[in-house]
Amino acid sequence: MSFFVIAHAQAQLMGGFKSIAVDDAQVIKAAEFGMASMEETDDKYKDVTFTVTDASRQVVAGLNYLIVVRPTLATCEDITFKIWDHFGTYKVTEATVSAC
């Protein structure tokens, strides 16, 4: 049993994504940044509210966030963002739109 606990702890230390609360303040801030970047490329996202449906974080040289957002649009879609937070400076490294 103790081997499992040690192996599990080591796996988390090796830089994988770890689930975090969807209402975490940093998650919301990163999601807002991601949605703002979508507004720049497509007007249909302008002034659209959204709900964060899933979030995880990875410690790197800063933090990577993997966030799934559901905008309130006429069509049901999810946007998955990978956002790098380099000590307060955000950069969207991936954004994928998929149907719900």
Side-chain angles (χ1 to χ4, degrees):
M1 183 71 155
S2 63
F3 172 76
F4 172 75
V5 173
I6 292 170
H8 182 68
Q10 286 176 342
Q12 287 185 347
L13 293 175
M14 297 187 78
F17 279 93
K18 182 180 177 188
S19 291
I20 56 175
V22 296
D23 60 352
D24 178 274
Q26 294 299 87
V27 168
I28 300 302
K29 188 174 181 180
E32 288 171 347
F33 179 83
M35 287 302 293
S37 73
M38 294 297 285
E39 286 180 19
E40 292 176 8
T41 60
D42 192 334
D43 283 342
K44 81 175 184 179
Y45 297 107
K46 189 159 183 64
D47 300 323
V48 171
T49 61
F50 63 88
T51 302
V52 176
T53 61
D54 192 33
S56 56
R57 178 172 48 212
Q58 175 187 38
V59 178
V60 290
L63 300 168
N64 274 328
Y65 289 95
L66 192 57
I67 302 170
V68 180
V69 171
R70 182 162 294 161
T72 54
L73 297 170
T75 59
C76 187
E77 61 184 43
D78 289 331
I79 305 171
T80 302
F81 291 109
K82 188 172 184 183
I83 298 174
W84 181 43
D85 173 1
H86 189 248
F87 308 104
T89 301
Y90 292 95
K91 179 180 180 182
V92 175
T93 57
E94 290 178 36
T96 307
V97 178
S98 59
C100 298

